[in-house]
Short mmCIF file of all heavy atoms in Angstrom, two decimals:
data_model
loop_
_atom_site.label_atom_id
_atom_site.label_comp_id
_atom_site.label_asym_id
_atom_site.label_seq_id
_atom_site.Cartn_x
_atom_site.Cartn_y
_atom_site.Cartn_z
N GLY A 8 48.86 75.73 135.19
CA GLY A 8 47.64 76.52 134.99
C GLY A 8 46.76 76.59 136.21
O GLY A 8 45.56 76.86 136.11
N LEU A 9 47.34 76.35 137.40
CA LEU A 9 46.58 76.37 138.65
C LEU A 9 46.82 77.68 139.39
O LEU A 9 47.75 78.43 139.08
CB LEU A 9 47.00 75.19 139.54
CG LEU A 9 46.92 73.80 138.89
CD1 LEU A 9 47.58 72.76 139.80
CD2 LEU A 9 45.47 73.42 138.62
N ASP A 10 45.98 77.95 140.38
CA ASP A 10 46.17 79.14 141.20
C ASP A 10 47.26 78.86 142.21
O ASP A 10 47.09 78.00 143.09
CB ASP A 10 44.87 79.49 141.93
CG ASP A 10 44.96 80.83 142.65
OD1 ASP A 10 45.85 80.96 143.52
OD2 ASP A 10 44.17 81.74 142.34
N PRO A 11 48.41 79.55 142.13
CA PRO A 11 49.53 79.24 143.02
C PRO A 11 49.24 79.51 144.49
O PRO A 11 49.72 78.78 145.37
CB PRO A 11 50.67 80.14 142.51
CG PRO A 11 50.00 81.22 141.75
CD PRO A 11 48.74 80.64 141.19
N ILE A 12 48.41 80.52 144.78
CA ILE A 12 48.11 80.84 146.17
C ILE A 12 47.26 79.75 146.80
O ILE A 12 47.54 79.26 147.90
CB ILE A 12 47.41 82.21 146.27
CG1 ILE A 12 48.35 83.32 145.78
CG2 ILE A 12 46.96 82.49 147.70
CD1 ILE A 12 47.72 84.69 145.75
N ASP A 13 46.20 79.33 146.09
CA ASP A 13 45.33 78.27 146.62
C ASP A 13 46.12 76.98 146.81
O ASP A 13 45.96 76.29 147.83
CB ASP A 13 44.16 78.02 145.67
CG ASP A 13 43.19 79.20 145.64
OD1 ASP A 13 43.27 80.04 146.56
OD2 ASP A 13 42.38 79.27 144.69
N SER A 14 46.96 76.65 145.84
CA SER A 14 47.74 75.42 145.92
C SER A 14 48.70 75.46 147.10
O SER A 14 48.84 74.47 147.84
CB SER A 14 48.53 75.21 144.62
OG SER A 14 47.68 75.11 143.51
N LEU A 15 49.33 76.60 147.31
CA LEU A 15 50.31 76.73 148.39
C LEU A 15 49.62 76.67 149.75
O LEU A 15 50.14 76.06 150.70
CB LEU A 15 51.07 78.05 148.24
CG LEU A 15 52.44 78.15 148.90
CD1 LEU A 15 53.33 76.98 148.52
CD2 LEU A 15 53.12 79.46 148.51
N VAL A 16 48.45 77.27 149.86
CA VAL A 16 47.69 77.22 151.12
C VAL A 16 47.33 75.78 151.47
O VAL A 16 47.45 75.35 152.63
CB VAL A 16 46.43 78.11 151.03
CG1 VAL A 16 45.51 77.83 152.21
CG2 VAL A 16 46.81 79.57 150.99
N GLU A 17 46.86 75.04 150.48
CA GLU A 17 46.50 73.64 150.72
C GLU A 17 47.71 72.81 151.12
O GLU A 17 47.63 71.97 152.03
CB GLU A 17 45.86 73.04 149.46
CG GLU A 17 44.46 73.54 149.17
CD GLU A 17 43.85 72.86 147.96
OE1 GLU A 17 44.29 71.73 147.62
OE2 GLU A 17 42.96 73.45 147.33
N LEU A 18 48.85 73.04 150.46
CA LEU A 18 50.06 72.31 150.80
C LEU A 18 50.52 72.62 152.21
O LEU A 18 50.89 71.72 152.98
CB LEU A 18 51.17 72.66 149.80
CG LEU A 18 51.08 72.03 148.41
CD1 LEU A 18 52.12 72.64 147.47
CD2 LEU A 18 51.28 70.52 148.48
N ARG A 19 50.51 73.90 152.58
CA ARG A 19 50.92 74.27 153.93
C ARG A 19 50.02 73.62 154.97
O ARG A 19 50.48 73.13 156.01
CB ARG A 19 50.86 75.79 154.09
CG ARG A 19 52.01 76.54 153.43
CD ARG A 19 51.81 78.04 153.61
NE ARG A 19 52.90 78.82 153.04
CZ ARG A 19 52.87 80.15 152.93
NH1 ARG A 19 51.81 80.83 153.35
NH2 ARG A 19 53.89 80.80 152.41
N SER A 20 48.73 73.61 154.68
CA SER A 20 47.77 73.01 155.62
C SER A 20 48.05 71.53 155.80
O SER A 20 48.02 71.01 156.93
CB SER A 20 46.34 73.22 155.09
OG SER A 20 45.40 72.58 155.91
N ALA A 21 48.32 70.82 154.70
CA ALA A 21 48.61 69.38 154.78
C ALA A 21 49.88 69.12 155.58
O ALA A 21 49.93 68.20 156.40
CB ALA A 21 48.72 68.79 153.39
N HIS A 22 50.90 69.93 155.38
CA HIS A 22 52.16 69.74 156.09
C HIS A 22 52.05 70.15 157.56
O HIS A 22 52.68 69.54 158.42
CB HIS A 22 53.28 70.53 155.40
CG HIS A 22 53.81 69.86 154.17
ND1 HIS A 22 54.93 69.06 154.16
CD2 HIS A 22 53.35 69.86 152.89
CE1 HIS A 22 55.13 68.61 152.94
NE2 HIS A 22 54.19 69.09 152.14
N ASP A 23 51.23 71.14 157.84
CA ASP A 23 50.96 71.50 159.23
C ASP A 23 50.30 70.34 159.97
O ASP A 23 50.51 70.16 161.17
CB ASP A 23 50.05 72.73 159.31
CG ASP A 23 50.84 74.03 159.20
OD1 ASP A 23 52.03 74.03 159.59
OD2 ASP A 23 50.30 75.03 158.71
N GLY A 24 49.53 69.56 159.22
CA GLY A 24 48.86 68.40 159.80
C GLY A 24 49.74 67.18 159.93
O GLY A 24 49.28 66.12 160.35
N GLY A 25 51.02 67.30 159.52
CA GLY A 25 51.97 66.21 159.70
C GLY A 25 52.20 65.35 158.47
O GLY A 25 52.93 64.37 158.53
N ASP A 26 51.60 65.70 157.33
CA ASP A 26 51.80 64.92 156.09
C ASP A 26 53.03 65.45 155.37
O ASP A 26 52.95 66.36 154.55
CB ASP A 26 50.56 65.01 155.21
CG ASP A 26 50.61 64.06 154.01
OD1 ASP A 26 51.65 63.39 153.84
OD2 ASP A 26 49.62 64.01 153.25
N THR A 27 54.19 64.87 155.68
CA THR A 27 55.45 65.38 155.12
C THR A 27 55.61 65.10 153.64
O THR A 27 56.46 65.69 152.98
CB THR A 27 56.65 64.77 155.87
OG1 THR A 27 56.61 63.35 155.73
CG2 THR A 27 56.61 65.13 157.35
N ALA A 28 54.81 64.18 153.10
CA ALA A 28 54.94 63.82 151.69
C ALA A 28 53.86 64.45 150.83
O ALA A 28 53.70 64.08 149.66
CB ALA A 28 54.90 62.30 151.52
N ALA A 29 53.12 65.41 151.37
CA ALA A 29 52.04 66.05 150.61
C ALA A 29 52.64 66.94 149.53
O ALA A 29 53.44 67.83 149.82
CB ALA A 29 51.15 66.85 151.54
N GLY A 30 52.23 66.67 148.31
CA GLY A 30 52.73 67.45 147.18
C GLY A 30 51.62 67.80 146.23
O GLY A 30 50.46 67.39 146.41
N LEU A 31 51.95 68.56 145.20
CA LEU A 31 50.94 69.03 144.25
C LEU A 31 50.87 68.12 143.04
O LEU A 31 51.89 67.88 142.37
CB LEU A 31 51.29 70.45 143.81
CG LEU A 31 50.37 71.09 142.77
CD1 LEU A 31 48.98 71.33 143.36
CD2 LEU A 31 50.95 72.41 142.25
N ASP A 32 49.68 67.60 142.75
CA ASP A 32 49.45 66.84 141.52
C ASP A 32 49.19 67.84 140.41
O ASP A 32 48.13 68.47 140.36
CB ASP A 32 48.26 65.89 141.70
CG ASP A 32 48.08 64.96 140.51
OD1 ASP A 32 48.52 65.32 139.40
OD2 ASP A 32 47.52 63.86 140.68
N ALA A 33 50.16 68.00 139.52
CA ALA A 33 50.05 69.02 138.47
C ALA A 33 48.94 68.70 137.47
O ALA A 33 48.49 69.59 136.74
CB ALA A 33 51.38 69.15 137.74
N TYR A 34 48.50 67.45 137.42
CA TYR A 34 47.47 67.06 136.44
C TYR A 34 46.06 67.34 136.95
O TYR A 34 45.17 67.71 136.19
CB TYR A 34 47.63 65.59 136.08
CG TYR A 34 48.97 65.26 135.45
CD1 TYR A 34 49.99 64.68 136.20
CD2 TYR A 34 49.23 65.58 134.12
CE1 TYR A 34 51.22 64.40 135.64
CE2 TYR A 34 50.46 65.30 133.54
CZ TYR A 34 51.45 64.70 134.31
OH TYR A 34 52.69 64.44 133.76
N THR A 35 45.86 67.15 138.26
CA THR A 35 44.51 67.34 138.81
C THR A 35 44.40 68.60 139.67
O THR A 35 43.30 69.07 139.94
CB THR A 35 44.12 66.12 139.68
OG1 THR A 35 45.00 66.04 140.81
CG2 THR A 35 44.22 64.84 138.88
N GLY A 36 45.54 69.11 140.12
CA GLY A 36 45.52 70.28 140.98
C GLY A 36 45.29 69.95 142.44
O GLY A 36 45.18 70.83 143.29
N GLU A 37 45.18 68.66 142.76
CA GLU A 37 44.91 68.25 144.13
C GLU A 37 46.20 68.08 144.92
O GLU A 37 47.28 67.86 144.35
CB GLU A 37 44.12 66.93 144.15
CG GLU A 37 42.75 67.03 143.48
CD GLU A 37 42.06 65.68 143.41
OE1 GLU A 37 42.68 64.68 143.85
OE2 GLU A 37 40.92 65.62 142.92
N THR A 38 46.09 68.15 146.24
CA THR A 38 47.21 67.87 147.13
C THR A 38 47.15 66.39 147.50
O THR A 38 46.16 65.93 148.09
CB THR A 38 47.14 68.74 148.40
OG1 THR A 38 47.23 70.11 148.02
CG2 THR A 38 48.27 68.40 149.35
N ILE A 39 48.17 65.63 147.12
CA ILE A 39 48.16 64.18 147.34
C ILE A 39 49.46 63.75 148.01
O ILE A 39 50.42 64.51 148.10
CB ILE A 39 48.00 63.42 146.01
CG1 ILE A 39 49.17 63.75 145.06
CG2 ILE A 39 46.67 63.74 145.35
CD1 ILE A 39 49.17 62.91 143.80
N ASP A 40 49.46 62.51 148.50
CA ASP A 40 50.66 61.93 149.10
C ASP A 40 51.58 61.45 147.97
O ASP A 40 51.27 60.48 147.28
CB ASP A 40 50.28 60.77 150.01
CG ASP A 40 51.47 60.28 150.84
OD1 ASP A 40 52.54 60.03 150.24
OD2 ASP A 40 51.34 60.14 152.07
N MET A 41 52.69 62.14 147.78
CA MET A 41 53.58 61.83 146.66
C MET A 41 54.27 60.48 146.83
O MET A 41 54.61 59.83 145.83
CB MET A 41 54.63 62.94 146.52
CG MET A 41 54.07 64.21 145.91
SD MET A 41 53.58 63.95 144.20
CE MET A 41 52.57 65.39 143.90
N ALA A 42 54.51 60.05 148.06
CA ALA A 42 55.13 58.74 148.28
C ALA A 42 54.20 57.63 147.81
O ALA A 42 54.63 56.66 147.18
CB ALA A 42 55.47 58.58 149.76
N GLU A 43 52.91 57.78 148.12
CA GLU A 43 51.94 56.77 147.65
C GLU A 43 51.80 56.80 146.14
O GLU A 43 51.56 55.78 145.50
CB GLU A 43 50.58 57.01 148.32
CG GLU A 43 50.55 56.71 149.81
CD GLU A 43 49.16 56.93 150.40
OE1 GLU A 43 48.24 57.26 149.62
OE2 GLU A 43 49.01 56.77 151.63
N GLU A 44 51.94 57.98 145.58
CA GLU A 44 51.82 58.13 144.12
C GLU A 44 53.07 57.65 143.39
O GLU A 44 53.06 57.45 142.18
CB GLU A 44 51.55 59.60 143.79
CG GLU A 44 51.10 59.88 142.37
CD GLU A 44 49.71 59.33 142.07
OE1 GLU A 44 48.96 59.05 143.02
OE2 GLU A 44 49.38 59.17 140.88
N GLY A 45 54.15 57.45 144.14
CA GLY A 45 55.39 56.97 143.52
C GLY A 45 56.22 58.06 142.87
O GLY A 45 56.96 57.80 141.91
N VAL A 46 56.09 59.30 143.37
CA VAL A 46 56.89 60.41 142.83
C VAL A 46 58.04 60.65 143.81
O VAL A 46 57.84 61.21 144.89
CB VAL A 46 56.05 61.68 142.67
CG1 VAL A 46 56.91 62.83 142.14
CG2 VAL A 46 54.88 61.42 141.73
N TYR A 47 59.23 60.21 143.43
CA TYR A 47 60.40 60.31 144.31
C TYR A 47 61.55 61.03 143.60
O TYR A 47 61.66 60.98 142.37
CB TYR A 47 60.89 58.92 144.72
CG TYR A 47 59.95 58.14 145.60
CD1 TYR A 47 59.21 57.07 145.09
CD2 TYR A 47 59.82 58.45 146.95
CE1 TYR A 47 58.37 56.34 145.90
CE2 TYR A 47 58.98 57.71 147.77
CZ TYR A 47 58.25 56.66 147.24
OH TYR A 47 57.42 55.94 148.05
N GLU A 48 62.38 61.65 144.40
CA GLU A 48 63.63 62.23 143.91
C GLU A 48 64.74 61.86 144.89
O GLU A 48 64.49 61.76 146.09
CB GLU A 48 63.52 63.75 143.82
CG GLU A 48 62.50 64.24 142.81
CD GLU A 48 62.44 65.77 142.77
OE1 GLU A 48 63.31 66.38 142.12
OE2 GLU A 48 61.55 66.34 143.40
#
């Protein structure tokens, strides 16, 4: 239920800054470090 464009822009910005583990928290809508959150595949 989030805005896909806003979410994608934030993710691109985080990865441009060198955060390779930046992912989308589907519960809060925030861009967070997925490795720290323990979300692995």
Side-chain angles (χ1 to χ4, degrees):
L9 306 171
D10 188 301
I12 296 176
D13 292 344
S14 300
L15 203 52
V16 168
E17 288 183 23
L18 284 171
R19 284 178 178 171
S20 176
H22 282 264
D23 275 332
D26 189 356
T27 60
L31 178 67
D32 187 334
Y34 299 101
T35 64
E37 298 175 357
T38 297
I39 60 173
D40 189 309
M41 285 294 165
E43 290 182 3
E44 193 68 19
V46 179
Y47 293 106
E48 296 180 80

